[in-house]
Amino acid sequence: MIGGRYGLSSKEFTPAMVKGIFDELKKDKPKNNFTIGINDDVTFTSLDYDASFTLDESAWRQGLFFGLGADGTVGANKNTIKIIGENTNLFAQGYFVYDSKKSGAKTVSHLRFGPKPIKAPYLIKKADFIACHQFNFTEKVAMLEFAKEGATFLLNSPYGKEEVWDKLTGQVQKEIIEKKIKFYVIDATTVARETGMKGRINTIMQTCYFALSGVLPREEAVKQIKKAIEKTYFKKGQKVIEQNFRAVDTTLANMYDVQYPAKATAANHDLLIVSKNAPEFVQDVTAVMMADHGDQLPVSKIPIDGTYPSGTTQWEKRNVSDLVASWDPELCIQCGNCAYVCPHSVIRAKFYHKDNLKKAPEEFQHAPINARGFPETKYTLQIYLEDCTGCNLCVEACPVTNTVNPSRKAINLTQKAPVLETEKQNIEFFESITWNDRSKIDFSTVHGAQFLEPLFEFSGACAGCGETPYLKLLSQLFGQRLLVANATGCSSIYGGNLPTTPWSVNKEGRGPAWSNSLFEDNAEFGLGMRITADNQLEMARQYLMQLKEELGENTVNEILEAQQVQESELVAQQLRVQLLKEKLKTMNSSAAAHLLSVCDQLVRRSVWLIGGDGWAYDIGFGGLDHALASGKNIKVLVLDTEVYSNTGGQSSKSTPTAATAKFAAGGKSAGKKDLAMQAISYGNVYVARVAFGANPQQTLLAMREAEAYDGPALILAYSHCIAHGYDMKNGLDQQNKAVASGHWPLLRYNPTLRKKNQNPFVLDSPRPSIGLKDYAYNESRYKVLTMTNPMEADRLMKHAQELVNLKWKNYEELATKKASDFVPIA
Ligand SMILES: Cc1ncc(C[n+]2csc(CCOP(=O)(O)OP(=O)(O)O)c2C)c(N)n1
Ligand code: SF4
Ligand code: SF4
Ligand code: SF4
């Protein structure tokens, strides 16, 4: 077996290399057969090679397709393989390269077709056809490096055939000219929008591929694409199928070939993976990984102690959407709703003295602050365009409608391209305005919380994700002193999957410390963080006492006795500890060195155990129960999507009755576990059930109460998710309906009230005002059963409604009981 000595993986072997190795081996022993084992699953034998393995790449048609995670490129290419494999004499091979990010990362599909069985390394190095489904990749990915001379290049471009050339980098222009590439453009995004497909460009680009590659006659190709559409979207209903058909029929009239000059006209520049302003680590390590060259990084570049710089998503600038949010300062009432719900922390609010505007760019938007008595204070809502996913949640959340044009709100979606450059300058200026002083902000309202700097930003979660707004809020409220133990799940993937992390730091370098443990032991992991923090605090207190004389009695007493409840008190303690650290650095004793290593714990730590329902209700439940029963000061945030979202929507014990999910395709008949009531049974656990889209104020209150409570706390947070099967822009509306139907009653159980001899069980949502059906049947996870098995759907829905009624009755009773009816606190 050879191959390992080349230090290459199977992906890096080209057919020519394989041939070279066999030629070399056969020089000495021409009659022998050889096997090359490249890694566990790929071997080449010289027997295959002689019999059927053609190394004549010209016999193959090789295509490379650069798409964006979740845009459907990979799915469409899988269909292409099936269509060609089933309808021609050609053999087909496909390989799909993508990472585990939720969406918005690059995907590369490698497709190869040929007249003989294909035994070739999966990755294509020389392609006849290259499709770029995302215009901004032309600046970030060296796609045309892989183009053969005379290859075809298909670009999804917001710029038409006349303008597009001037929008390309010099490097791309040069490759097109030198390789005599046949260049085509289509504005697939507009075609998709106009045919009702929203952002789904996959079918459009697939149709172009068939038209340009000539693998099948055009008519036959269109027929087969439509057949594949019917099969793929059967569950989504006839409307979606029709939309796809329309997109196919409209496509070819919108595809143009581009005539280009004989010389490059743009200034030549290399790919710009991250901005030149990015920190050294991001330039040297993160950007290399982002360019898919992580395996070339020397080990010496990787941090040796397992810690990793945070706040790196800000350098990605994924530009996933051509439509982005745009603010209308004249209409805006500055409520903060849009910033609150934005899943990607793209909307930031600041207020500042008007003198700041002296250096502002001309187009910088602002308005007088909407508060009496501050005539010199201005307000700006800044949108980070390149990070906006166009999910539309901000527009849905905005309460203000333009009376003249009711289709417009105080925030709307608009085309990005015309405003991008101006807004980049505005963002730069906005960042030069300091964040508002935390000790002067009213944390208790949605309006106030918008002014807190988010330390969780620009995550790669799906556009419109219902989990991330909770994390952003958490980071705003307690970010600087937050310790997070994150269970595996969507939140660990968009939260910390290499190369970037959305958990960030403020200007002083303070931010959440985050770590991901296993799926099954996250609660224990977080409990360990708490116990460690407590032990280190105790050590710090002892060293402080020991060094009382050197440090000064007053200083030590102030630190030890500091009250740390209000933000102003926390800020004061942070300052004291900062001064202490500076002093300790000048001292030369082992006690001072020890104290320096643990003194950060003197600022109250907030330890949060975070994960999905698969973790909390199922696989990590034993540990979670143990952590809650420990009585320790740990906070648990369950991002409840009612399925295992990260792995594609498997049923969990949180999955509701009558909903379908993987492993519950016939509809779930068992009841949803009531984790809230289980935790309440301990008596000393703070418990809340929240839904930010239904009642943002209650969510905010619950998070603050949970954090302030000196004991275990559990928050169950309704999280709408793509797994529920509807357009995410309706996520807030569905959250409202989940609450209004009684499926998701909002509640808080506060043991502090029990101690004060008050009823600790507070029901925060009104009596159900709509039927369960009115909520559930807007989601295909419920709806699909009415198509596949209507009788069973009906039976299960009736049963589910009964369970909802019963649950509500029990809750209502609890809400009206006396304090003495609940478990007393020891
Ligand atoms: C013990 C174990 N089993 C299975 C997995 C695979 N896995 C990773 S994430 C995940 C689903 C997580 O679901 P959930 O906790 O509901 O979080 P969500 O993705 O919905 O946010 C699974 C099954 C794993 N990592 N470890
Ligand atoms: S469209 Fe979505 S991502 Fe963009 S600002 Fe609005 S809520 Fe945020
Ligand atoms: S939701 Fe609308 S009114 Fe409220 S701050 Fe945002 S843009 Fe202004
Ligand atoms: S929770 Fe759902 S919407 Fe959010 S990232 Fe996961 S799969 Fe996407």
Side-chain angles (χ1 to χ4, degrees):
M1 298 276 271
I2 61 164
R5 70 190 168 96
Y6 291 86
L8 295 170
S9 74
S10 63
K11 296 176 185 174
E12 287 159 313
F13 269 80
T14 63
M17 288 163 80
V18 176
K19 180 179 182 316
I21 295 167
F22 283 135
D23 286 349
E24 190 72 17
L25 293 168
K26 292 214 166 201
K27 260 189 211 162
D28 292 342
K29 296 179 177 158
K31 294 211 170 116
N32 279 23
N33 278 314
F34 296 94
T35 301
I36 308 174
I38 290 169
N39 63 11
D40 292 349
D41 57 348
V42 179
T43 55
F44 299 107
T45 72
S46 50
L47 219 57
D48 287 337
Y49 157 77
D50 292 338
S52 60
F53 177 28
T54 169
L55 284 170
D56 178 8
E57 291 193 34
S58 65
W60 294 334
R61 293 202 188 140
Q62 311 192 99
L64 278 176
F65 303 76
F66 293 82
L68 202 64
D71 74 352
T73 300
V74 168
N77 282 323
K78 285 182 178 167
N79 274 339
T80 297
I81 292 198
K82 286 184 207 151
I83 291 171
I84 295 176
E86 285 166 12
N87 295 287
T88 69
N89 292 330
L90 295 175
F91 291 88
Q93 183 197 57
Y95 188 77
F96 305 92
V97 181
Y98 43 80
D99 64 18
S100 54
K101 294 229 168 199
K102 303 310 304 171
S103 67
K106 186 180 69 204
T107 66
V108 190
S109 308
H110 296 249
L111 265 54
R112 191 179 267 133
F113 306 103
K116 291 188 181 179
I118 300 169
K119 290 196 176 181
Y122 295 130
L123 294 190
I124 289 168
K125 303 279 167 137
K126 292 273 164 229
D128 310 279
F129 184 91
I130 294 192
C132 173
H133 292 197
Q134 194 64 22
F135 189 83
N136 73 312
F137 286 172
T138 58
E139 288 215 333
K140 302 208 173 214
V141 187
M143 280 167 289
L144 295 181
E145 233 176 57
F146 303 107
K148 277 183 189 168
E149 179 153 339
T152 299
F153 178 42
L154 170 67
L155 177 62
N156 172 23
S157 160
Y159 310 105
K161 61 177 176 159
E162 309 296 345
E163 304 161 87
V164 67
W165 185 253
D166 292 332
K167 303 289 180 189
L168 297 175
T169 66
Q171 187 56 34
V172 174
Q173 291 183 346
K174 210 165 131 246
E175 294 254 26
I176 291 178
I177 294 166
E178 282 176 3
K179 292 184 172 167
K180 300 187 184 62
I181 283 173
K182 297 188 257 329
F183 180 22
Y184 294 84
V185 284
I186 178 165
D187 183 354
T189 315
T190 301
V191 175
R193 203 169 43 249
E194 285 173 359
T195 50
M197 302 266 295
K198 309 223 170 65
R200 303 282 290 182
I201 58 162
N202 53 349
T203 321
I204 297 161
M205 298 302 280
Q206 184 189 30
T207 308
C208 294
Y209 169 68
F210 274 104
L212 293 172
S213 66
V215 196
L216 279 178
R218 267 191 200 193
E219 272 182 26
E220 182 58 21
V222 169
K223 197 171 122 203
Q224 294 304 334
I225 291 173
K226 289 189 174 175
K227 231 164 97 184
I229 288 170
E230 276 179 329
K231 214 166 146 191
T232 309
Y233 298 115
F234 158 71
K235 280 194 179 167
K236 300 211 163 162
Q238 194 56 30
K239 194 172 154 213
V240 174
I241 293 176
E242 294 293 339
Q243 279 165 350
N244 275 275
F245 283 2
R246 244 194 334 274
V248 171
D249 294 335
T250 322
T251 293
L252 297 183
N254 287 284
M255 184 177 75
Y256 304 98
D257 68 336
V258 181
Q259 302 301 320
Y260 51 84
K263 273 196 173 165
T265 48
N268 216 357
H269 68 74
D270 290 338
L271 297 179
L272 191 64
I273 309 281
V274 294
S275 150
K276 296 205 163 63
N277 300 328
E280 200 181 322
F281 183 84
V282 173
Q283 307 262 10
D284 289 0
V285 179
T286 317
V288 178
M289 291 183 185
M290 281 159 77
D292 296 338
H293 297 311
D295 48 357
Q296 290 170 14
L297 281 170
V299 174
S300 56
K301 289 270 181 200
I302 308 296
I304 50 170
D305 62 355
T307 61
Y308 224 77
S310 56
T312 38
T313 45
Q314 63 178 299
W315 304 108
E316 275 185 308
K317 300 298 163 220
R318 297 182 307 141
N319 280 294
V320 296
S321 178
D322 294 337
L323 284 180
V324 292
S326 150
W327 179 51
D328 181 344
E330 311 234 314
L331 274 188
C332 177
I333 56 165
Q334 303 171 12
C335 64
N337 285 3
C338 54
Y340 187 99
V341 303
C342 175
H344 308 280
S345 316
V346 163
I347 308 177
R348 312 283 170 99
K350 284 181 187 169
F351 60 87
Y352 49 88
H353 192 273
K354 69 176 173 38
D355 284 353
N356 279 278
L357 290 173
K358 284 183 187 150
K359 290 189 187 146
E362 225 169 276
E363 314 237 12
F364 185 71
Q365 289 188 299
H366 52 86
I369 188 113
N370 193 3
R372 281 207 199 129
F374 297 93
E376 304 200 317
T377 306
K378 300 283 180 187
Y379 171 91
T380 290
L381 205 61
Q382 183 61 53
I383 293 152
Y384 284 58
L385 259 54
E386 294 186 280
D387 305 287
C388 174
T389 64
C391 74
N392 210 54
L393 281 191
C394 53
V395 182
E396 295 289 322
C398 180
V400 184
T401 304
N402 186 334
T403 43
V404 185
N405 179 358
S407 69
R408 306 283 296 167
K409 290 196 163 183
I411 195 162
N412 302 285
L413 290 194
T414 188
Q415 285 289 342
K416 178 172 66 186
V419 287
L420 182 57
E421 289 313 314
T422 314
E423 284 304 312
K424 277 187 187 170
Q425 287 174 20
N426 289 342
I427 291 167
E428 204 179 323
F429 175 73
F430 180 79
E431 291 194 339
S432 73
I433 303 173
T434 40
W435 277 96
N436 299 114
D437 182 348
R438 292 176 67 84
S439 59
K440 297 200 174 109
I441 290 173
D442 178 7
F443 282 37
S444 67
T445 62
V446 170
H447 167 75
Q450 69 178 314
F451 297 115
L452 298 169
E453 181 178 9
L455 297 176
F456 176 90
E457 58 181 11
F458 314 140
S459 81
C462 305
C465 171
E467 290 190 350
T468 47
Y470 296 109
L471 299 176
K472 181 190 55 177
L473 182 61
L474 190 68
S475 79
Q476 288 175 300
L477 295 173
F478 324 116
Q480 300 182 31
R481 51 196 182 83
L482 197 59
L483 297 181
V484 178
N486 209 133
T488 305
C490 282
S491 50
S492 71
I493 299 305
Y494 58 65
N497 208 17
L498 279 178
T500 57
T501 173
W503 295 96
S504 189
V505 289
N506 64 13
K507 285 267 182 304
E508 288 86 47
R510 292 202 185 94
W514 180 93
S515 189
N516 165 222
S517 179
L518 300 176
F519 194 24
E520 60 271 32
D521 70 359
N522 186 56
E524 294 92 322
F525 183 54
L527 184 59
M529 284 185 178
R530 176 77 266 171
I531 292 168
T532 307
D534 290 347
N535 284 343
Q536 290 187 348
L537 173 63
E538 198 39 49
M539 279 164 69
R541 296 176 73 88
Q542 281 172 16
Y543 283 121
L544 269 179
M545 295 296 286
Q546 204 177 314
L547 292 168
K548 213 170 196 172
E549 244 173 64
E550 290 100 310
L551 294 169
E553 193 164 342
N554 273 354
T555 308
V556 170
N557 287 347
E558 270 182 22
I559 295 176
L560 288 178
E561 288 158 20
Q563 165 119 337
Q564 298 185 58
V565 181
Q566 304 296 333
E567 193 62 22
S568 54
E569 294 163 352
L570 284 155
V571 170
Q573 180 75 340
Q574 214 145 42
L575 199 66
R576 282 183 210 111
V577 172
Q578 190 53 40
L579 293 173
L580 171 70
K581 279 165 109 174
E582 277 156 30
K583 176 95 204 242
L584 289 171
K585 280 182 201 153
T586 64
M587 289 165 64
N588 198 11
S589 71
S590 78
H594 281 308
L595 180 53
L596 187 61
S597 72
V598 289
C599 67
D600 280 327
Q601 303 290 353
L602 292 161
V603 179
R604 184 160 70 81
R605 288 281 176 260
S606 192
V607 180
W608 287 73
L609 288 45
I610 296 174
D613 47 286
W615 162 64
Y617 287 67
D618 288 6
I619 294 183
F621 175 68
L624 177 70
D625 187 45
H626 175 71
L628 290 176
S630 73
K632 297 275 180 206
N633 192 354
I634 46 127
K635 317 296 163 197
V636 181
L637 175 61
V638 181
L639 303 163
D640 197 340
T641 57
E642 305 188 318
V643 276
Y644 291 61
S645 298
N646 187 46
T647 37
Q650 291 78 16
S651 166
S652 80
K653 288 186 198 77
S654 173
T655 303
T657 314
T660 62
K662 287 182 183 154
F663 300 135
K668 187 169 163 192
S669 52
K672 177 184 167 90
K673 168 155 133 185
D674 195 336
L675 195 55
M677 289 308 293
Q678 289 190 349
I680 285 172
S681 70
Y682 282 119
N684 66 340
V685 179
Y686 176 96
V687 180
R689 192 186 285 127
V690 303
F692 77 91
N695 191 339
Q697 190 61 44
Q698 189 253 3
T699 302
L700 181 59
L701 178 65
M703 277 210 185
R704 296 180 66 236
E705 281 184 351
E707 210 273 339
Y709 176 62
D710 187 17
L714 170 72
I715 297 183
L716 301 169
Y718 185 96
S719 305
H720 61 253
C721 169
I722 54 162
H724 298 171
Y726 62 90
D727 190 332
M728 287 289 89
K729 79 171 193 191
N730 300 326
L732 305 177
D733 199 33
Q734 277 305 95
Q735 292 209 19
N736 255 317
K737 291 195 166 97
V739 172
S741 64
H743 166 64
W744 193 266
L746 304 179
L747 64 85
R748 283 172 298 129
Y749 181 91
N750 191 345
T752 315
L753 294 178
R754 175 66 184 87
K755 265 193 197 165
K756 291 182 190 160
N757 216 19
Q758 294 168 21
N759 181 344
F761 189 97
V762 181
L763 201 45
D764 284 320
S765 47
R767 200 168 269 186
S769 54
I770 59 172
L772 184 62
K773 271 183 190 172
D774 301 327
Y775 150 68
Y777 286 152
N778 299 321
E779 304 189 356
S780 47
R781 62 175 166 152
Y782 291 96
K783 185 88 183 156
V784 71
L785 202 59
T786 64
M787 296 186 264
T788 53
N789 191 347
M791 286 207 353
E792 180 65 354
D794 195 45
R795 187 186 76 81
L796 286 177
M797 187 48 74
K798 282 190 182 126
H799 179 47
Q801 182 68 62
E802 275 172 37
L803 295 179
V804 162
N805 298 348
L806 184 64
K807 185 153 81 179
W808 183 264
K809 185 168 156 275
N810 291 338
Y811 283 6
E812 237 175 9
E813 272 173 23
L814 286 172
T816 51
K817 284 192 170 200
K818 296 195 294 291
S820 56
D821 293 327
F822 293 90
V823 182
I825 315 287

